PDB file of all heavy atoms in Angstrom:
ATOM      1  N   GLY A   1       8.932  -8.472   3.935  1.00  0.00           N
ATOM      2  CA  GLY A   1       8.628  -9.641   4.752  1.00  0.00           C
ATOM      3  C   GLY A   1       8.237  -9.314   6.175  1.00  0.00           C
ATOM      4  O   GLY A   1       7.920 -10.217   6.961  1.00  0.00           O
ATOM      5  N   ASN A   2       8.220  -8.031   6.539  1.00  0.00           N
ATOM      6  CA  ASN A   2       7.883  -7.602   7.903  1.00  0.00           C
ATOM      7  C   ASN A   2       6.373  -7.360   7.985  1.00  0.00           C
ATOM      8  O   ASN A   2       5.890  -6.237   7.837  1.00  0.00           O
ATOM      9  CB  ASN A   2       8.664  -6.329   8.242  1.00  0.00           C
ATOM     10  CG  ASN A   2       8.536  -5.932   9.704  1.00  0.00           C
ATOM     11  OD1 ASN A   2       7.586  -6.312  10.382  1.00  0.00           O
ATOM     12  ND2 ASN A   2       9.512  -5.164  10.183  1.00  0.00           N
ATOM     13  N   LYS A   3       5.615  -8.423   8.228  1.00  0.00           N
ATOM     14  CA  LYS A   3       4.156  -8.328   8.213  1.00  0.00           C
ATOM     15  C   LYS A   3       3.633  -7.341   9.256  1.00  0.00           C
ATOM     16  O   LYS A   3       2.659  -6.621   9.016  1.00  0.00           O
ATOM     17  CB  LYS A   3       3.540  -9.704   8.459  1.00  0.00           C
ATOM     18  CG  LYS A   3       3.760 -10.691   7.338  1.00  0.00           C
ATOM     19  CD  LYS A   3       3.016 -11.988   7.605  1.00  0.00           C
ATOM     20  CE  LYS A   3       3.224 -12.980   6.473  1.00  0.00           C
ATOM     21  NZ  LYS A   3       2.492 -14.258   6.701  1.00  0.00           N
ATOM     22  N   GLN A   4       4.290  -7.313  10.396  1.00  0.00           N
ATOM     23  CA  GLN A   4       3.829  -6.424  11.474  1.00  0.00           C
ATOM     24  C   GLN A   4       3.944  -4.965  11.055  1.00  0.00           C
ATOM     25  O   GLN A   4       3.017  -4.172  11.244  1.00  0.00           O
ATOM     26  CB  GLN A   4       4.666  -6.678  12.737  1.00  0.00           C
ATOM     27  CG  GLN A   4       4.130  -5.967  13.977  1.00  0.00           C
ATOM     28  CD  GLN A   4       4.886  -6.374  15.245  1.00  0.00           C
ATOM     29  OE1 GLN A   4       5.768  -7.229  15.199  1.00  0.00           O
ATOM     30  NE2 GLN A   4       4.533  -5.771  16.355  1.00  0.00           N
ATOM     31  N   ALA A   5       5.067  -4.612  10.451  1.00  0.00           N
ATOM     32  CA  ALA A   5       5.264  -3.222  10.021  1.00  0.00           C
ATOM     33  C   ALA A   5       4.356  -2.890   8.842  1.00  0.00           C
ATOM     34  O   ALA A   5       3.762  -1.800   8.779  1.00  0.00           O
ATOM     35  CB  ALA A   5       6.724  -3.005   9.635  1.00  0.00           C
ATOM     36  N   ILE A   6       4.223  -3.831   7.917  1.00  0.00           N
ATOM     37  CA  ILE A   6       3.395  -3.602   6.729  1.00  0.00           C
ATOM     38  C   ILE A   6       1.941  -3.361   7.124  1.00  0.00           C
ATOM     39  O   ILE A   6       1.240  -2.552   6.507  1.00  0.00           O
ATOM     40  CB  ILE A   6       3.520  -4.796   5.764  1.00  0.00           C
ATOM     41  CG1 ILE A   6       4.935  -4.838   5.163  1.00  0.00           C
ATOM     42  CG2 ILE A   6       2.486  -4.723   4.637  1.00  0.00           C
ATOM     43  CD1 ILE A   6       5.270  -6.120   4.424  1.00  0.00           C
ATOM     44  N   ALA A   7       1.477  -4.059   8.161  1.00  0.00           N
ATOM     45  CA  ALA A   7       0.087  -3.926   8.610  1.00  0.00           C
ATOM     46  C   ALA A   7      -0.228  -2.514   9.108  1.00  0.00           C
ATOM     47  O   ALA A   7      -1.397  -2.118   9.156  1.00  0.00           O
ATOM     48  CB  ALA A   7      -0.202  -4.950   9.696  1.00  0.00           C
ATOM     49  N   THR A   8       0.796  -1.747   9.477  1.00  0.00           N
ATOM     50  CA  THR A   8       0.561  -0.386  10.011  1.00  0.00           C
ATOM     51  C   THR A   8       0.531   0.674   8.914  1.00  0.00           C
ATOM     52  O   THR A   8       0.232   1.837   9.188  1.00  0.00           O
ATOM     53  CB  THR A   8       1.663  -0.018  11.020  1.00  0.00           C
ATOM     54  OG1 THR A   8       2.928   0.102  10.326  1.00  0.00           O
ATOM     55  CG2 THR A   8       1.785  -1.065  12.115  1.00  0.00           C
ATOM     56  N   ILE A   9       0.839   0.306   7.678  1.00  0.00           N
ATOM     57  CA  ILE A   9       0.924   1.287   6.590  1.00  0.00           C
ATOM     58  C   ILE A   9      -0.473   1.754   6.171  1.00  0.00           C
ATOM     59  O   ILE A   9      -1.364   0.935   5.917  1.00  0.00           O
ATOM     60  CB  ILE A   9       1.666   0.690   5.374  1.00  0.00           C
ATOM     61  CG1 ILE A   9       3.126   0.398   5.746  1.00  0.00           C
ATOM     62  CG2 ILE A   9       1.604   1.631   4.166  1.00  0.00           C
ATOM     63  CD1 ILE A   9       3.910  -0.324   4.664  1.00  0.00           C
ATOM     64  N   ASP A  10      -0.656   3.050   6.113  1.00  0.00           N
ATOM     65  CA  ASP A  10      -1.906   3.645   5.645  1.00  0.00           C
ATOM     66  C   ASP A  10      -1.740   3.977   4.161  1.00  0.00           C
ATOM     67  O   ASP A  10      -1.093   4.962   3.799  1.00  0.00           O
ATOM     68  CB  ASP A  10      -2.219   4.915   6.450  1.00  0.00           C
ATOM     69  CG  ASP A  10      -3.495   5.606   5.966  1.00  0.00           C
ATOM     70  OD1 ASP A  10      -4.219   4.999   5.152  1.00  0.00           O
ATOM     71  OD2 ASP A  10      -3.749   6.745   6.406  1.00  0.00           O
ATOM     72  N   ILE A  11      -2.330   3.159   3.306  1.00  0.00           N
ATOM     73  CA  ILE A  11      -2.107   3.330   1.867  1.00  0.00           C
ATOM     74  C   ILE A  11      -2.709   4.627   1.330  1.00  0.00           C
ATOM     75  O   ILE A  11      -2.313   5.091   0.256  1.00  0.00           O
ATOM     76  CB  ILE A  11      -2.645   2.132   1.053  1.00  0.00           C
ATOM     77  CG1 ILE A  11      -4.141   1.943   1.262  1.00  0.00           C
ATOM     78  CG2 ILE A  11      -1.885   0.870   1.381  1.00  0.00           C
ATOM     79  CD1 ILE A  11      -4.731   0.836   0.398  1.00  0.00           C
ATOM     80  N   GLN A  12      -3.640   5.210   2.072  1.00  0.00           N
ATOM     81  CA  GLN A  12      -4.250   6.467   1.608  1.00  0.00           C
ATOM     82  C   GLN A  12      -3.201   7.556   1.429  1.00  0.00           C
ATOM     83  O   GLN A  12      -3.352   8.454   0.588  1.00  0.00           O
ATOM     84  CB  GLN A  12      -5.315   6.933   2.603  1.00  0.00           C
ATOM     85  CG  GLN A  12      -6.496   5.974   2.760  1.00  0.00           C
ATOM     86  CD  GLN A  12      -7.293   5.810   1.480  1.00  0.00           C
ATOM     87  OE1 GLN A  12      -7.467   6.766   0.728  1.00  0.00           O
ATOM     88  NE2 GLN A  12      -7.763   4.600   1.213  1.00  0.00           N
ATOM     89  N   LYS A  13      -2.119   7.469   2.205  1.00  0.00           N
ATOM     90  CA  LYS A  13      -1.061   8.486   2.144  1.00  0.00           C
ATOM     91  C   LYS A  13      -0.283   8.433   0.825  1.00  0.00           C
ATOM     92  O   LYS A  13       0.385   9.399   0.459  1.00  0.00           O
ATOM     93  CB  LYS A  13      -0.070   8.279   3.298  1.00  0.00           C
ATOM     94  CG  LYS A  13      -0.633   8.591   4.673  1.00  0.00           C
ATOM     95  CD  LYS A  13       0.318   8.135   5.773  1.00  0.00           C
ATOM     96  CE  LYS A  13       1.697   8.764   5.620  1.00  0.00           C
ATOM     97  NZ  LYS A  13       2.608   8.328   6.721  1.00  0.00           N
ATOM     98  N   TYR A  14      -0.382   7.325   0.111  1.00  0.00           N
ATOM     99  CA  TYR A  14       0.467   7.137  -1.063  1.00  0.00           C
ATOM    100  C   TYR A  14      -0.322   7.132  -2.376  1.00  0.00           C
ATOM    101  O   TYR A  14       0.241   6.894  -3.439  1.00  0.00           O
ATOM    102  CB  TYR A  14       1.251   5.823  -0.917  1.00  0.00           C
ATOM    103  CG  TYR A  14       2.021   5.773   0.379  1.00  0.00           C
ATOM    104  CD1 TYR A  14       1.498   5.096   1.486  1.00  0.00           C
ATOM    105  CD2 TYR A  14       3.231   6.445   0.523  1.00  0.00           C
ATOM    106  CE1 TYR A  14       2.180   5.074   2.697  1.00  0.00           C
ATOM    107  CE2 TYR A  14       3.923   6.426   1.737  1.00  0.00           C
ATOM    108  CZ  TYR A  14       3.383   5.747   2.818  1.00  0.00           C
ATOM    109  OH  TYR A  14       4.062   5.740   4.008  1.00  0.00           O
ATOM    110  N   ILE A  15      -1.620   7.404  -2.278  1.00  0.00           N
ATOM    111  CA  ILE A  15      -2.449   7.459  -3.483  1.00  0.00           C
ATOM    112  C   ILE A  15      -2.140   8.734  -4.264  1.00  0.00           C
ATOM    113  O   ILE A  15      -1.937   9.801  -3.688  1.00  0.00           O
ATOM    114  CB  ILE A  15      -3.952   7.412  -3.116  1.00  0.00           C
ATOM    115  CG1 ILE A  15      -4.306   6.046  -2.515  1.00  0.00           C
ATOM    116  CG2 ILE A  15      -4.833   7.687  -4.336  1.00  0.00           C
ATOM    117  CD1 ILE A  15      -5.725   5.956  -1.983  1.00  0.00           C
ATOM    118  N   SER A  16      -2.075   8.602  -5.581  1.00  0.00           N
ATOM    119  CA  SER A  16      -1.832   9.757  -6.450  1.00  0.00           C
ATOM    120  C   SER A  16      -2.637   9.572  -7.738  1.00  0.00           C
ATOM    121  O   SER A  16      -3.394   8.612  -7.872  1.00  0.00           O
ATOM    122  CB  SER A  16      -0.339   9.861  -6.794  1.00  0.00           C
ATOM    123  OG  SER A  16       0.067   8.747  -7.582  1.00  0.00           O
ATOM    124  N   ASP A  17      -2.461  10.493  -8.669  1.00  0.00           N
ATOM    125  CA  ASP A  17      -3.166  10.369  -9.944  1.00  0.00           C
ATOM    126  C   ASP A  17      -2.728   9.121 -10.702  1.00  0.00           C
ATOM    127  O   ASP A  17      -3.498   8.535 -11.467  1.00  0.00           O
ATOM    128  CB  ASP A  17      -2.900  11.606 -10.829  1.00  0.00           C
ATOM    129  CG  ASP A  17      -3.549  12.856 -10.253  1.00  0.00           C
ATOM    130  OD1 ASP A  17      -4.492  12.699  -9.446  1.00  0.00           O
ATOM    131  OD2 ASP A  17      -3.110  13.969 -10.612  1.00  0.00           O
ATOM    132  N   GLU A  18      -1.487   8.716 -10.505  1.00  0.00           N
ATOM    133  CA  GLU A  18      -0.945   7.555 -11.217  1.00  0.00           C
ATOM    134  C   GLU A  18      -1.123   6.246 -10.442  1.00  0.00           C
ATOM    135  O   GLU A  18      -1.146   5.169 -11.031  1.00  0.00           O
ATOM    136  CB  GLU A  18       0.557   7.743 -11.491  1.00  0.00           C
ATOM    137  CG  GLU A  18       0.897   8.844 -12.481  1.00  0.00           C
ATOM    138  CD  GLU A  18       0.814  10.234 -11.861  1.00  0.00           C
ATOM    139  OE1 GLU A  18       1.061  10.349 -10.638  1.00  0.00           O
ATOM    140  OE2 GLU A  18       0.483  11.183 -12.592  1.00  0.00           O
ATOM    141  N   VAL A  19      -1.227   6.331  -9.135  1.00  0.00           N
ATOM    142  CA  VAL A  19      -1.239   5.135  -8.292  1.00  0.00           C
ATOM    143  C   VAL A  19      -2.514   5.099  -7.461  1.00  0.00           C
ATOM    144  O   VAL A  19      -2.805   6.037  -6.721  1.00  0.00           O
ATOM    145  CB  VAL A  19      -0.013   5.106  -7.353  1.00  0.00           C
ATOM    146  CG1 VAL A  19      -0.072   3.876  -6.461  1.00  0.00           C
ATOM    147  CG2 VAL A  19       1.273   5.109  -8.161  1.00  0.00           C
ATOM    148  N   GLY A  20      -3.279   3.990  -7.607  1.00  0.00           N
ATOM    149  CA  GLY A  20      -4.539   3.870  -6.892  1.00  0.00           C
ATOM    150  C   GLY A  20      -4.498   2.836  -5.781  1.00  0.00           C
ATOM    151  O   GLY A  20      -3.471   2.209  -5.509  1.00  0.00           O
ATOM    152  N   VAL A  21      -5.656   2.638  -5.162  1.00  0.00           N
ATOM    153  CA  VAL A  21      -5.774   1.747  -4.007  1.00  0.00           C
ATOM    154  C   VAL A  21      -5.427   0.304  -4.371  1.00  0.00           C
ATOM    155  O   VAL A  21      -4.691  -0.369  -3.642  1.00  0.00           O
ATOM    156  CB  VAL A  21      -7.210   1.811  -3.432  1.00  0.00           C
ATOM    157  CG1 VAL A  21      -7.401   0.747  -2.355  1.00  0.00           C
ATOM    158  CG2 VAL A  21      -7.488   3.182  -2.857  1.00  0.00           C
ATOM    159  N   LEU A  22      -5.963  -0.191  -5.497  1.00  0.00           N
ATOM    160  CA  LEU A  22      -5.724  -1.586  -5.877  1.00  0.00           C
ATOM    161  C   LEU A  22      -4.248  -1.856  -6.124  1.00  0.00           C
ATOM    162  O   LEU A  22      -3.721  -2.909  -5.734  1.00  0.00           O
ATOM    163  CB  LEU A  22      -6.532  -1.929  -7.134  1.00  0.00           C
ATOM    164  CG  LEU A  22      -8.060  -1.855  -6.985  1.00  0.00           C
ATOM    165  CD1 LEU A  22      -8.739  -2.066  -8.331  1.00  0.00           C
ATOM    166  CD2 LEU A  22      -8.549  -2.904  -5.984  1.00  0.00           C
ATOM    167  N   TYR A  23      -3.587  -0.913  -6.760  1.00  0.00           N
ATOM    168  CA  TYR A  23      -2.151  -1.041  -7.037  1.00  0.00           C
ATOM    169  C   TYR A  23      -1.388  -1.143  -5.717  1.00  0.00           C
ATOM    170  O   TYR A  23      -0.534  -2.018  -5.535  1.00  0.00           O
ATOM    171  CB  TYR A  23      -1.693   0.175  -7.837  1.00  0.00           C
ATOM    172  CG  TYR A  23      -0.280   0.091  -8.380  1.00  0.00           C
ATOM    173  CD1 TYR A  23      -0.041  -0.251  -9.705  1.00  0.00           C
ATOM    174  CD2 TYR A  23       0.830   0.363  -7.575  1.00  0.00           C
ATOM    175  CE1 TYR A  23       1.241  -0.317 -10.211  1.00  0.00           C
ATOM    176  CE2 TYR A  23       2.115   0.301  -8.068  1.00  0.00           C
ATOM    177  CZ  TYR A  23       2.327  -0.040  -9.389  1.00  0.00           C
ATOM    178  OH  TYR A  23       3.610  -0.107  -9.882  1.00  0.00           O
ATOM    179  N   LEU A  24      -1.695  -0.255  -4.783  1.00  0.00           N
ATOM    180  CA  LEU A  24      -0.978  -0.220  -3.503  1.00  0.00           C
ATOM    181  C   LEU A  24      -1.253  -1.465  -2.667  1.00  0.00           C
ATOM    182  O   LEU A  24      -0.351  -1.968  -1.986  1.00  0.00           O
ATOM    183  CB  LEU A  24      -1.364   1.038  -2.731  1.00  0.00           C
ATOM    184  CG  LEU A  24      -0.857   2.352  -3.349  1.00  0.00           C
ATOM    185  CD1 LEU A  24      -1.509   3.544  -2.680  1.00  0.00           C
ATOM    186  CD2 LEU A  24       0.670   2.443  -3.248  1.00  0.00           C
ATOM    187  N   LYS A  25      -2.470  -1.966  -2.728  1.00  0.00           N
ATOM    188  CA  LYS A  25      -2.778  -3.198  -1.995  1.00  0.00           C
ATOM    189  C   LYS A  25      -1.934  -4.358  -2.513  1.00  0.00           C
ATOM    190  O   LYS A  25      -1.450  -5.191  -1.730  1.00  0.00           O
ATOM    191  CB  LYS A  25      -4.265  -3.533  -2.126  1.00  0.00           C
ATOM    192  CG  LYS A  25      -5.169  -2.693  -1.241  1.00  0.00           C
ATOM    193  CD  LYS A  25      -6.626  -3.144  -1.365  1.00  0.00           C
ATOM    194  CE  LYS A  25      -7.525  -2.362  -0.415  1.00  0.00           C
ATOM    195  NZ  LYS A  25      -8.949  -2.777  -0.550  1.00  0.00           N
ATOM    196  N   ASP A  26      -1.753  -4.417  -3.841  1.00  0.00           N
ATOM    197  CA  ASP A  26      -0.914  -5.471  -4.426  1.00  0.00           C
ATOM    198  C   ASP A  26       0.547  -5.317  -4.006  1.00  0.00           C
ATOM    199  O   ASP A  26       1.247  -6.307  -3.772  1.00  0.00           O
ATOM    200  CB  ASP A  26      -1.011  -5.441  -5.956  1.00  0.00           C
ATOM    201  CG  ASP A  26      -2.250  -6.159  -6.474  1.00  0.00           C
ATOM    202  OD1 ASP A  26      -2.895  -6.866  -5.675  1.00  0.00           O
ATOM    203  OD2 ASP A  26      -2.579  -6.007  -7.661  1.00  0.00           O
ATOM    204  N   VAL A  27       1.008  -4.067  -3.906  1.00  0.00           N
ATOM    205  CA  VAL A  27       2.392  -3.815  -3.471  1.00  0.00           C
ATOM    206  C   VAL A  27       2.594  -4.345  -2.056  1.00  0.00           C
ATOM    207  O   VAL A  27       3.575  -5.056  -1.775  1.00  0.00           O
ATOM    208  CB  VAL A  27       2.721  -2.308  -3.540  1.00  0.00           C
ATOM    209  CG1 VAL A  27       4.041  -2.022  -2.822  1.00  0.00           C
ATOM    210  CG2 VAL A  27       2.810  -1.843  -4.989  1.00  0.00           C
ATOM    211  N   LEU A  28       1.650  -4.020  -1.153  1.00  0.00           N
ATOM    212  CA  LEU A  28       1.782  -4.470   0.238  1.00  0.00           C
ATOM    213  C   LEU A  28       1.702  -5.992   0.334  1.00  0.00           C
ATOM    214  O   LEU A  28       2.451  -6.613   1.100  1.00  0.00           O
ATOM    215  CB  LEU A  28       0.684  -3.846   1.101  1.00  0.00           C
ATOM    216  CG  LEU A  28       0.729  -2.317   1.275  1.00  0.00           C
ATOM    217  CD1 LEU A  28      -0.317  -1.870   2.277  1.00  0.00           C
ATOM    218  CD2 LEU A  28       2.112  -1.857   1.732  1.00  0.00           C
ATOM    219  N   LYS A  29       0.811  -6.585  -0.452  1.00  0.00           N
ATOM    220  CA  LYS A  29       0.680  -8.040  -0.448  1.00  0.00           C
ATOM    221  C   LYS A  29       1.971  -8.700  -0.892  1.00  0.00           C
ATOM    222  O   LYS A  29       2.402  -9.720  -0.334  1.00  0.00           O
ATOM    223  CB  LYS A  29      -0.474  -8.433  -1.378  1.00  0.00           C
ATOM    224  CG  LYS A  29      -0.814  -9.917  -1.363  1.00  0.00           C
ATOM    225  CD  LYS A  29      -1.998 -10.187  -2.273  1.00  0.00           C
ATOM    226  CE  LYS A  29      -2.329 -11.683  -2.310  1.00  0.00           C
ATOM    227  NZ  LYS A  29      -3.470 -11.972  -3.210  1.00  0.00           N
ATOM    228  N   GLU A  30       2.610  -8.124  -1.903  1.00  0.00           N
ATOM    229  CA  GLU A  30       3.863  -8.678  -2.400  1.00  0.00           C
ATOM    230  C   GLU A  30       5.000  -8.459  -1.415  1.00  0.00           C
ATOM    231  O   GLU A  30       5.878  -9.311  -1.271  1.00  0.00           O
ATOM    232  CB  GLU A  30       4.206  -8.053  -3.759  1.00  0.00           C
ATOM    233  CG  GLU A  30       5.418  -8.659  -4.453  1.00  0.00           C
ATOM    234  CD  GLU A  30       5.254 -10.133  -4.785  1.00  0.00           C
ATOM    235  OE1 GLU A  30       4.104 -10.605  -4.918  1.00  0.00           O
ATOM    236  OE2 GLU A  30       6.287 -10.828  -4.898  1.00  0.00           O
TER     237      GLU A  30
END
């Protein structure tokens, strides 16, 4: 629920063979 902190997250750091950009965007949105 911390929108300010979530906005600073660079999802590129968490991409892997199993986890892609679309998946991570949904995680942050949720």
Side-chain angles (χ1 to χ4, degrees):
N2 189 337
K3 292 185 180 181
Q4 189 173 357
I6 291 168
T8 67
I9 295 174
D10 178 10
I11 60 176
Q12 297 297 323
K13 291 170 57 179
Y14 306 98
I15 293 174
S16 66
D17 292 339
E18 292 78 30
V19 178
V21 172
L22 297 174
Y23 189 100
L24 291 169
K25 283 183 176 179
D26 278 348
V27 168
L28 295 187
K29 186 178 178 181
E30 186 62 24

